[in-house]
Amino acid sequence: TNNHVIEGADEITSIMADNTEFTAELLGRDPKADLAVLKFDPKDKELVSVSWGDSDIARVGDQTIAIGNPLGLGGTVTAGIISAISRDIGNGPYVKFIQTDASINRGNSGGPLFNIKGEVIGINTAIISQTGGSIGLGFAIPSNSAKKIITQLKDFGRTKRGWLGVQITVVTKEIAESLGLPDEKGAFVSN
């Protein structure tokens, strides 16, 4: 699910389609990528999981299906197309989102975004809207990004990221000229 769904919760309950409830345990969360991994014991209930798809082969124009619990209406299914496959919506450098016009509303967060093969290619996470409702601008964390983070959350309870101890400056026209560079491409390590 998404981190913002469970953030600050004292108790987490997972409710199945048949209204069976399970108390869930938080294995780990990553606020920067807005992901969280929960675990619960299904006891004698047999569960079938959905399968991951490859978000790297998704293309603009592909059909998508979003399933979730928008506004408390569980099992709601909406359909749309992919508008962008690496959209930056200003949430930081950790995730570039799949943008879809499948209706995503409050309560869809953490739900799957499927391709037409029924494979999960994203985790529905955010919308952009002036009214707070869906206007066709929905965003999902790509499955390939999510899988890497989820594995770390399960293994370590947190995400481990590399850190490069440098300060970068954009190569401006002045910097390019002073260094004798042929163009303004790249980055300059200033510290």
Side-chain angles (χ1 to χ4, degrees):
T1 190
N2 291 125
N3 177 67
H4 77 262
V5 172
I6 56 87
E7 192 168 35
D10 294 325
E11 189 176 292
I12 302 169
T13 303
S14 184
I15 304 171
M16 302 292 114
D18 64 0
N19 291 324
T20 306
E21 295 186 12
F22 299 103
T23 300
E25 167 194 354
L26 178 63
L27 289 186
R29 63 189 193 93
D30 181 357
K32 291 178 180 173
D34 196 17
L35 284 172
V37 175
L38 307 177
K39 178 182 179 179
F40 64 90
D41 180 2
K43 300 185 179 25
D44 296 334
K45 188 170 186 71
E46 186 175 331
L47 301 177
V48 179
S49 65
V50 292
S51 58
W52 288 106
D54 183 354
S55 58
D56 289 345
I57 62 173
R59 298 176 302 161
V60 171
D62 283 356
Q63 293 182 332
T64 59
I65 301 162
I67 297 181
N69 187 35
L71 311 175
L73 302 171
T76 296
V77 179
T78 57
I81 61 168
I82 294 175
S83 303
I85 54 172
S86 188
R87 182 72 79 194
D88 182 354
I89 61 171
N91 281 26
Y94 300 104
V95 176
K96 300 291 186 226
F97 295 91
I98 294 173
Q99 180 182 333
T100 181
D101 71 340
S103 288
I104 294 174
N105 287 284
R106 290 184 179 140
N108 270 107
S109 293
L113 182 70
F114 291 100
N115 60 19
I116 57 170
K117 295 178 184 175
E119 300 167 329
V120 178
I121 58 165
I123 298 174
N124 300 322
T125 300
I127 62 171
I128 292 178
S129 169
Q130 293 174 332
T131 63
S134 177
I135 58 170
L137 296 173
F139 302 92
I141 299 167
S143 60
N144 290 358
S145 298
K147 284 189 288 188
K148 293 174 189 171
I149 295 167
I150 288 167
T151 299
Q152 289 192 32
L153 293 176
K154 287 183 348 189
D155 292 347
F156 311 114
R158 64 184 180 88
T159 308
K160 297 181 177 184
R161 291 188 173 89
W163 182 258
L164 183 61
V166 298
Q167 185 174 3
I168 303 283
T169 302
V170 176
V171 176
T172 62
K173 184 176 181 181
E174 293 78 21
I175 291 174
E177 286 176 2
S178 70
L179 296 174
L181 300 175
D183 51 39
E184 299 166 34
K185 293 181 180 173
F188 177 72
V189 177
S190 58
N191 196 359

